[in-house]
Amino acid sequence: MEDKNILELERRFQEKIDNDIKIEPNDWMPDDYRQTLIRQISQHAHSEIVGMLPEGNWITRAPNLRRKAVLLAKVQDEAGHGLYLYSAAETLGADREETIDDLHSGKAKYSSIFNYPTLSWADMGAIGWLVDGAAIMNQVPLCRCSYGPYARAMVRVCKEESFHQRQGFEIIAHLAQGTPAQKEMAQDALNRFWWPALMMFGPNDAESKHTVQSMNWKIKRSTNDELRQLFVDVTVPQAEMIGLTIPDKDLKLNKETGHYETGEINWAEFWEVVKGNGPCNKERVDARRKAKEDGMWVREAALAFAEKRKNK
Amino acid sequence: MSKKEWPLWEVFIRSKQGLNHKHVGSLRAADSTMAIENARDVYTRRSEGISIWVIESNNVFANDSSESDALFEPADSKIYRHPTFYDVPDGISHM
Ligand SMILES: [Fe+2]
Ligand SMILES: [Fe+2]
């Protein structure tokens, strides 16, 4: 009886998904669907928050006031993205504090791209152009994700992201057209961020264990390789346009398919970074942990003040 | 770990004069003043609003979604509430 009941609930759930009817927080959902979403949304939230660190590194050293105001606004947006996503995870019953503790203990992952250092101002250009560009490719299809709160968060995020990519492209295009030293800086940033940006889309489809189920649930709407291809196809001509060279000697346009073909991605490096052995993994998590601990007394004081006022 | 978290608030924004407040999301804040300030920073950075309401999430009550079929059934069965239910002879206008 009980099993039959569950089967019927599952059938109705999948029927809704197949008919593009959104799932909302109080609706019945299979436990795996809930857990998969909590994992994906909280990973995404952590990426937004940790993603502030490499760029925060350059706010005080921006070359002029305009660039500084823009970078500040961009990083502030990322904090907002983190908040929308943590809130979406909470609608699934995830505990906020636990979610954040999982990041700090290393149990939860975030995008491996943020474990690379930002060595020069040109990296602010490369990040906006490539990293936000790749994030947009990932996030646009998620606006149609089957889970309502996640889809709505993505709509807000995507609206804000478009300036992120443009400001980065502006920085790198400007440097690429500058003095030889500036151009070299731009090329160096592209050299360092190109491959990690391609890795942002995750393992090849054949290796990606969650893809099939996630596609059936419409949590994921395009595969890793499809999105990566899309990114390569739009980005290569942009690099050419500003006179920079993609650091891939095997890169070529396949005239028949109309798609670019890239060289082999260094997956060993990818997995090393995911496992915690990238250049900045420790630094990033330490910075988040320190932020939480250092701010603890402020949060406690605010709460004590609110309680005191309430009881008056 | 302190288990005392700031409470969760639901945020409603009036995007312009003449429209009603609409739910835009949620956030955590120690009290209502901070909730409004945070909502300003998070949900109206691009002139999305001219008025903000916040309400503590645990003061929001919702119907049981597993019983929503029964809850909303009366609306489906009373089609005479819609103008299309009625026959109006040809030639009658302004109705
Ligand atoms: Fe973002
Ligand atoms: Fe961004």
Side-chain angles (χ1 to χ4, degrees):
Chain A
M1 180 62 203
E2 178 111 288
D3 287 354
K4 223 175 124 189
N5 220 333
I6 293 271
L7 282 178
E8 175 58 18
L9 287 169
E10 271 175 3
R11 193 192 60 77
R12 278 209 258 166
F13 170 82
Q14 190 63 46
E15 194 175 81
K16 271 204 220 163
I17 298 224
D18 295 341
N19 290 317
D20 279 327
I21 296 173
K22 298 276 185 230
I23 308 300
E24 294 295 343
N26 292 331
D27 296 347
W28 186 89
M29 61 186 87
D31 202 47
D32 281 351
Y33 176 83
R34 185 185 299 276
Q35 296 312 326
T36 304
L37 271 172
I38 289 178
R39 196 190 57 232
Q40 181 175 331
I41 296 173
S42 56
Q43 260 181 34
H44 194 162
H46 299 328
S47 302
E48 301 285 351
I49 298 298
V50 176
M52 292 194 283
L53 296 168
E55 289 178 301
N57 182 32
W58 281 90
I59 290 176
T60 56
R61 294 179 288 163
N64 59 46
L65 204 52
R66 178 184 185 272
R67 297 276 188 227
K68 183 172 178 168
V70 168
L71 185 58
L72 204 53
K74 194 238 184 219
V75 172
Q76 190 191 10
D77 274 353
E78 306 300 1
H81 298 174
L83 176 74
Y84 310 151
L85 288 158
Y86 284 128
S87 299
E90 277 191 281
T91 66
L92 291 158
D95 179 271
R96 174 84 64 106
E97 182 109 8
E98 265 173 45
T99 307
I100 289 170
D101 287 342
D102 283 349
L103 168 69
H104 296 176
S105 71
K107 189 176 152 205
K109 302 292 176 209
Y110 53 89
S111 182
S112 56
I113 190 84
F114 301 118
N115 291 314
Y116 291 85
T118 45
L119 305 176
S120 81
W121 170 252
D123 291 5
M124 298 304 98
I127 287 182
W129 175 35
L130 303 174
V131 177
D132 288 79
I136 291 169
M137 293 279 167
N138 263 323
Q139 287 166 347
V140 167
L142 288 176
C143 296
R144 294 182 299 121
C145 159
S146 61
Y147 187 57
Y150 192 26
R152 291 192 287 275
M154 282 303 106
V155 170
R156 290 190 66 85
V157 165
C158 286
K159 239 188 249 166
E160 301 184 354
E161 283 294 346
S162 54
F163 113 71
H164 296 183
Q165 194 185 18
R166 284 183 182 207
Q167 64 85 35
F169 188 73
E170 190 188 78
I171 291 172
I172 204 134
H174 204 78
L175 289 170
Q177 279 137 36
T179 64
Q182 286 173 323
K183 182 167 181 184
E184 202 183 304
M185 249 169 82
Q187 182 63 52
D188 171 62
L190 173 58
N191 292 350
R192 283 180 290 108
F193 279 95
W194 174 253
W195 290 104
L198 294 193
M199 294 175 199
M200 279 177 73
F201 296 94
N204 288 130
D205 293 349
E207 315 289 320
S208 176
K209 52 185 175 177
H210 302 299
T211 296
V212 176
Q213 180 63 83
S214 290
M215 299 277 283
N216 281 340
W217 278 335
K218 297 188 182 169
I219 287 175
K220 208 172 170 150
R221 311 247 12 191
S222 317
T223 72
N224 297 353
D225 289 333
E226 285 166 5
L227 292 170
R228 186 166 19 240
Q229 186 64 56
L230 197 61
F231 176 75
V232 171
D233 288 342
V234 304
T235 310
V236 172
Q238 292 169 355
E240 280 167 8
M241 201 95 76
I242 56 173
L244 295 181
T245 310
I246 302 284
D248 177 358
K249 58 177 175 22
D250 299 320
L251 184 75
K252 58 175 185 297
L253 182 65
N254 182 326
K255 288 261 162 53
E256 264 159 49
T257 62
H259 294 299
Y260 284 93
E261 288 166 6
T262 66
E264 189 55 33
I265 292 174
N266 184 348
W267 291 113
E269 175 184 322
F270 173 77
W271 289 115
E272 271 309 295
V273 180
V274 170
K275 267 189 267 164
N277 305 323
C280 300
N281 294 59
K282 189 176 173 316
E283 188 183 327
R284 301 294 186 234
V285 173
D286 284 352
R288 289 313 313 155
R289 212 183 281 132
K290 183 173 180 322
K292 183 179 176 183
E293 283 161 11
D294 290 356
M296 189 76 87
W297 71 271
V298 179
R299 292 193 298 280
E300 282 171 1
L303 201 57
F305 180 68
E307 264 159 23
K308 188 176 130 196
R309 231 181 10 188
K310 211 191 299 180
N311 297 333
K312 228 179 10 208
Chain B
M1 288 301 114
S2 84
K3 239 5 275 183
K4 284 206 98 186
E5 289 180 58
W6 287 352
L8 192 63
W9 300 77
E10 299 304 321
V11 179
F12 300 81
I13 303 273
R14 185 201 295 288
S15 59
K16 63 176 202 187
Q17 214 67 15
L19 296 180
N20 44 12
H21 287 75
K22 198 174 150 201
H23 183 244
V24 293
S26 46
L27 50 77
R28 287 188 176 271
D31 59 22
S32 57
T33 312
M34 188 192 284
I36 289 172
E37 282 167 3
N38 288 356
R40 193 261 330 252
D41 288 346
V42 179
Y43 292 109
T44 66
R45 284 201 303 280
R46 289 173 174 79
S47 318
E48 293 97 332
I50 55 157
S51 164
I52 298 171
W53 286 352
V54 294
I55 177 164
E56 251 191 85
S57 308
N58 59 20
N59 286 323
V60 175
F61 299 90
N63 68 286
D64 177 349
S65 69
S66 68
E67 281 167 17
S68 36
D69 286 355
L71 189 66
F72 297 112
E73 185 279 332
D76 291 337
S77 61
K78 292 178 181 58
I79 53 170
Y80 44 84
R81 281 179 169 152
H82 298 277
T84 46
F85 177 75
Y86 301 91
D87 288 329
V88 177
D90 289 346
I92 299 286
S93 53
H94 303 297
M95 190 178 279

